Amino acid sequence: MQKEIIINSSTSQNRVAITEDGTLIDFFVDNPEKRRMVGNVYLGKVARILPGIRAAFIDIGLKHDAFLHFSDIGDAFKEFQSVLEDDGDETEIGIEDDDSADSKKSNDSEKRTNTIPKLHKGQDIIVQIIKEPVANKGVRITSSISIPGRFCVLLPFDNKIGISKKISDFKERKRLKYLAKSILPDNCGLIIRTAAKEQEESSLESDLKYLVNTWQNIQEKVKSSSPPYLLHTDLSTTTSVIRDLFTPDVTKVFIDSKSLYKEIREYVQLVQPELLDKIEYYKSSAPIFDTFRIEEHIKTLMGRKVPLPSGGHIVIDHTEAMTVIDVNSGRYAAKKEQELNSLKTDLEASREIVRQLRLRDIGGLLVIDFIDLEEDKNRKKIYDELRKEFRKDRAKVALLPMTDFGIVQITRQRVRQNIVQSINEVCPYCNGSGLMTKRSSVIHDIDEWFKKYKSQGKERSLILSVHPSLSNDLKIGIFSKLNKIQFKYFLRIKLEDNAQINPQEFEVKSAKTGDKILRV
C-alpha cells in the first residue's frame, strides 16, 4: 500500500491530504481564522459553577467561557493547583500515547462522575483545551494537562505507564515499557505513542527532555501571569499532522511551499531524521492538489450527495442535534435479486460512510438509514462491516446493531469542527437553512405592510428599497405589482434597488427626509 501526505500551502491557508493508493483518507485545513486550539494550556479563572449540570465555566480569555465538566477534573487536581502557589522546585511530568491516554482518561472520568470537586468562583485554575468550539458552544477543557511529543505524551502528576494499542508485538511492548520506566521522571506518567515502535532509548529520551522543558516553561509562566492567560500553544494543524501521522509506513510527503518544506524538514531532522529522505519539495507549476487528484475528492467531500460504485448514493444532512445519513439504491433490481442488491449497496455505503466521517471529521450522534434488509444475517453483515471499517478511525466510536427498520445509531468522538464547517460560513441570506422565502411571499409581505401603513402613517410619498432580484418582479408590466399597490393604497412609491439588502427583506424610507421607516 502506498501512503502519501500531500501539503498545499497558499497565502491564506494550508491544506493537508493523506492518501492510500491514491484514495483520500484524511483531510485537514489550517487557516488563520480557525487556528487549532486543542492542546493549548491556559491559566483561567472560575467564572460560574453549575452543580445542576455538574460543570463549571472558566474564563480563559475567549469569546465564550470554557466548559469544564466535573468528570474532566483529574485525580491530580490538587497537585496542579499547587503549581499556582508553589515557589519551590519545578515538578517534572510524564508522557501519554494518543490511544491509551484517551482510554485511560475516559476510565478515570467514569470513576470520578459521582464526586464534586472543590471549586469556587474567582479561583485560578490551570486548564487545557480538549475540544474545539462548535457553533455557539465554547471550548471544552480539562484540568489534567498532557503534553504530546513525537514518541511520548507527558502527563504531570501521574505515575502510570501506557503503550499504544496499535503496537501489538508483545516483545516490542515489553521493551518500550522497560525503556519508559528507565527514563520516567519522578511524579509523572508516560505513555509511549505508536511512532515510538522500534525507536532507540536516545530518541525517547530526547523527546521526553523537550516535553519536560515545555512543562517547566509553563510553570514559570504561571508564576508571573494573571488569568486569563495563554501559557502554552500546541503545534499548528499542519505540523501536528507531521508529528502524529508521519510514521514509517508513509511512502512520501510532498510539499509545494519552499518555506514550509524547510520548516517541516527542520522539525523532522530534530525528532526522526531517518524519515528525511521521504520529504520532497514539489516543484511543478501545476497545482499539487490537481496533480494528485485531491481536488476531485474535495468536491465530493463538500457535497451533500456522495455516489457509490454500484450506482447508489448516500445523502449527508446536518441538524442541530445529529447528523443523518440516508442510503439510496441506484438502478432498479428484479424482486428476486432485491435482497442481494440491497446488501451490496449497504456494504458499499458502510465503507463510504466511515470514510466520509473520517474525512469530514463529523462527530456527535449519527443516524444512518440503510436500505431495508429482510434477513437477520444480512443486517449483521452491515454491523460487522461498520465495526471493521471503524477500526481504522482514530476517533472513539460506539455503534448499535441495525434495527428492524434498517437504522444504525452511532456516536463518534468530536474534537474539532468538521471540515465542512471549518471551510464554509453560514449563508447570511438563508441563515444555514438552505431555503429562501419565495419572491411572491415577500411581495405579499410588502403589500400587507403598506396596507397597515395607510391607516397609521402620515406621509404619502415613500421610497421602497429591495434587492434587484425582487425589483424586477415588482415593476414588470404596465399593471405591475408596484403600480397596483400604489393605486390600492393611494401612495406614491419610488422603487430603489439595493444589492446590500437580503432578497427576503425590504426597507421603506421617507421620500421627504430619507429617514428609514422600516426594515423587515
Side-chain angles (χ1 to χ4, degrees), residues 78 80-88 123 222-223:
K78 290 182 180 179
F80 279 111
Q81 288 302 100
S82 70
V83 174
L84 298 171
E85 305 159 2
D86 188 13
D87 292 327
Q123 178 180 352
V222 166
K223 295 173 183 176

Side-chain angles (χ1 to χ4, degrees), residues 123-139:
Q123 178 180 352
D124 291 354
I125 183 172
I126 302 173
V127 293
Q128 185 173 38
I129 294 178
I130 55 175
K131 284 187 180 179
E132 301 276 356
V134 178
N136 293 322
K137 297 179 181 177
V139 298

